[in-house]
Amino acid sequence: MPKLATPLTDVQVRNAKPKDKPYKLSDGGGMYLEVMPSGTRTWRMNFVQASGKKNRLTFGQYPETSLLEAREKRTAAKKLLNSGIDPAEARDNDKAARSENANNTFEKLAREWHTNKIPTWRGSTAKDTLRRLEIDIFPQIGSMPIASITHQQMIAALRKVEARGAVEIAHRLKATCARIFSYANQQGIENRNPAQDLKDVLKPVKAGHFAAISTDELPAFLAAMNQNDARLFKPTRIALRLMMLLFVRTSELITTPWSEIDLEKGEWIIPWQRMKRGKLTINPDKTNHHVCLSRQALELLRELHTLTGGGVYLFPNQRDHEKPMSNGAILMALRRMGYQNKMTGHGFRALAMSTIKEQLGYRHEVVDRQLAHAQKDKIASAYDRAIFLEERKKMMQDWADYIDQIAANKIVPPKFTQHAA
């Protein structure tokens, strides 16, 4: 039977002096204090691996590691052994895990996540997302191990963005960071995801809409448009009127090639690849969009063809005719009319939606299809666009006639047939 060691006392450990040769002071259970001639005193523990091979653990040096702390480490090692776990292997694995966690910084994981998302994003989205992280987040928490980032550190980084008045950007960054933390967790790199639950910490984003005039303001707007014709390039003047008549998206109008327009048939069909929903990387909507030209819109297009029909685009850039009109041209024209911050290109869509429903009596679904809004049900989407086409053609002509009545100061309730709600 092996001889049981008498446990050490604090006094014995404190008074252990160096000798000419190393010696040991046993505390039992395989643990001892090794005293070196240099005066270094180290806690160690001998144990036998499952293979029968002897091994040794080191618990730290005295007095940095006290007798009590060394005994706690011995107890933990014994528990591992009793569970069939080699404490030396567990120690090495833990050390490797800590090293890996230290290398898994927020910036490293963020760039991995960003690279994985690039195939599903537009180029501009990928560029803007990384740029925002590089400007606002990486300088604050980028170099930190992702597992160590606290809620307070995440909040501090976002509040710096918020402090300069960029409240909406702060909220977008919060959502982006939450996805990055989630990505790390999915990779097996555990973290608290401190960006996920910050619902009430940041200032709320004020709800906003694209500036748009109301139906009551339409007469004054049309008058201002006529009064400012001389100040605008003729193509720009026509672009404004087509925005009013057709209420397509600004980007869809200014990038339209003449190859999409059939002046003889009076048709304009935008290929799905040019539509907002068609540009999605995942599940794009492959439905071509019928713009439905009114008589007035067709007249404007024929007039425009005499000006720009020899080129590629309906609205070529003034400086480089091989490129389309600038996105800001419509806003610049509205500013010259005195409607800065009162009306936008998107505002024509909001104006048409509300006025056509309220004044002309058309159903929401019909106007919605003409606006090319996304539908949740793809089958219903294709069906609706087909079945509403004739109704949409009539609606667009009624809308153009209604605008003519307003322009002619005939401000009376429209006499068009009211459509069933």
Side-chain angles (χ1 to χ4, degrees):
M1 186 174 180
K3 184 179 179 182
L4 296 176
T6 302
L8 295 171
T9 65
D10 286 325
V11 173
Q12 285 177 295
V13 174
R14 187 167 56 250
N15 293 334
K17 304 300 181 183
K19 298 180 180 180
D20 293 339
K21 295 181 180 181
Y23 69 96
K24 303 174 184 177
L25 296 176
S26 179
D27 189 58
M31 188 180 84
Y32 57 90
L33 181 71
E34 183 180 58
V35 184
M36 303 298 289
S38 63
T40 301
R41 293 168 287 183
T42 305
W43 294 110
R44 302 190 190 278
M45 173 184 163
N46 292 328
F47 70 97
V48 180
Q49 295 175 313
S51 63
K53 184 179 179 181
K54 294 182 179 180
N55 204 345
R56 184 175 69 172
L57 291 171
T58 299
F59 294 151
Q61 293 183 353
Y62 181 85
E64 289 81 7
T65 302
S66 68
L67 173 59
L68 178 61
E69 290 169 335
R71 285 172 175 169
E72 289 174 349
K73 292 182 179 182
R74 177 183 61 192
T75 300
K78 291 283 187 181
K79 286 182 179 179
L80 290 174
L81 283 168
N82 293 336
S83 300
I85 300 172
D86 187 320
E89 290 183 4
R91 173 201 61 198
D92 294 342
N93 291 339
D94 183 61
K95 184 177 180 180
R98 288 198 303 270
S99 176
E100 184 178 0
N101 285 338
N103 291 329
N104 285 325
T105 64
F106 182 88
E107 180 172 351
K108 176 189 173 185
L109 273 299
R111 290 186 182 278
E112 282 184 15
W113 169 80
H114 180 268
T115 300
N116 287 347
K117 296 292 290 183
I118 285 176
T120 68
W121 283 339
R122 296 182 187 178
S124 58
T125 301
K127 182 179 179 181
D128 291 345
T129 301
L130 184 58
R131 178 174 172 272
R132 287 261 64 92
L133 289 169
E134 290 176 337
I135 292 174
D136 294 317
I137 300 299
F138 292 167
Q140 306 303 319
I141 61 172
S143 62
M144 298 174 63
I146 198 165
S148 71
I149 298 172
T150 65
H151 283 74
Q152 289 73 21
Q153 290 164 335
M154 188 74 252
I155 292 168
L158 293 172
R159 280 187 171 158
K160 282 197 172 185
V161 181
E162 189 182 67
R164 66 170 188 263
V167 177
E168 185 174 352
I169 290 176
H171 279 266
R172 289 181 183 178
L173 282 169
K174 175 179 75 70
T176 297
C177 290
R179 295 187 186 101
I180 294 167
F181 284 112
S182 177
Y183 167 80
N185 274 320
Q186 293 171 52
Q187 296 287 354
I189 304 167
E190 295 184 3
N191 63 81
R192 304 178 184 87
N193 199 338
Q196 189 173 35
D197 299 323
L198 304 182
K199 295 179 181 178
D200 301 316
V201 172
L202 298 178
K203 295 177 182 177
V205 178
K206 294 182 179 179
H209 302 279
F210 291 101
I213 62 170
S214 65
T215 304
D216 294 341
E217 297 173 288
L218 189 50
F221 181 82
L222 294 173
M225 189 183 291
N226 290 331
Q227 291 167 6
N228 282 272
D229 278 350
R231 302 179 64 194
L232 303 174
F233 287 111
K234 201 166 188 179
T236 306
R237 175 182 64 81
I238 293 174
L240 278 176
R241 282 165 169 75
L242 287 175
M243 289 291 293
M244 174 69 73
L245 291 170
L246 304 177
F247 46 90
V248 293
R249 295 180 177 88
T250 305
S251 60
E252 292 163 0
L253 179 68
I254 63 176
T255 59
T256 299
W258 277 109
S259 58
E260 288 181 9
I261 309 292
D262 190 328
L263 293 175
E264 292 185 6
K265 292 183 180 180
E267 288 184 349
W268 178 12
I269 300 176
I270 304 179
W272 63 266
Q273 294 91 338
R274 279 216 310 122
M275 299 298 293
K276 180 180 180 180
R277 296 288 302 176
K279 293 178 181 178
L280 295 176
T281 305
I282 299 176
N283 297 324
D285 187 340
K286 297 183 179 182
T287 307
N288 295 336
H289 181 55
H290 290 253
V291 177
C292 299
L293 300 174
S294 62
R295 182 183 67 257
Q296 292 89 329
L298 190 56
E299 288 175 0
L300 285 170
L301 286 170
R302 285 173 176 154
E303 180 183 359
L304 181 64
H305 193 264
T306 64
L307 302 172
T308 66
V312 175
Y313 297 104
L314 273 67
F315 300 100
N317 190 288
Q318 291 293 325
R319 296 180 180 179
D320 184 354
H321 288 188
E322 297 301 313
K323 296 180 180 180
M325 175 189 285
S326 166
N327 226 329
I330 298 296
L331 288 175
M332 180 64 73
L334 291 169
R335 188 174 75 176
R336 288 181 178 178
M337 289 169 52
Y339 279 83
Q340 185 176 10
N341 299 325
K342 298 178 183 178
M343 187 59 168
T344 61
H346 198 279
F348 288 106
R349 293 167 65 78
L351 172 67
M353 168 64 90
S354 59
T355 307
I356 291 175
K357 288 196 300 180
E358 295 170 6
Q359 301 299 324
L360 305 186
Y362 279 87
R363 291 173 294 150
H364 175 86
E365 293 84 354
V366 181
V367 190
D368 211 43
R369 293 303 80 74
Q370 190 57 42
L371 287 164
H373 282 162
Q375 298 300 299
K376 294 181 180 179
D377 187 330
K378 294 295 181 183
I379 297 177
S381 173
Y383 175 75
D384 287 350
R385 290 185 184 182
I387 200 170
F388 291 152
L389 187 56
E390 292 305 316
E391 193 171 358
R392 283 161 49 202
K393 289 179 180 178
K394 186 176 188 310
M395 177 188 74
M396 296 299 278
Q397 187 59 56
D398 285 352
W399 170 240
D401 291 342
Y402 176 74
I403 291 173
D404 282 350
Q405 284 191 355
I406 297 290
N409 294 320
K410 297 179 181 179
I411 311 301
V412 294
K415 299 180 181 179
F416 307 118
T417 302
Q418 295 294 303
H419 296 261

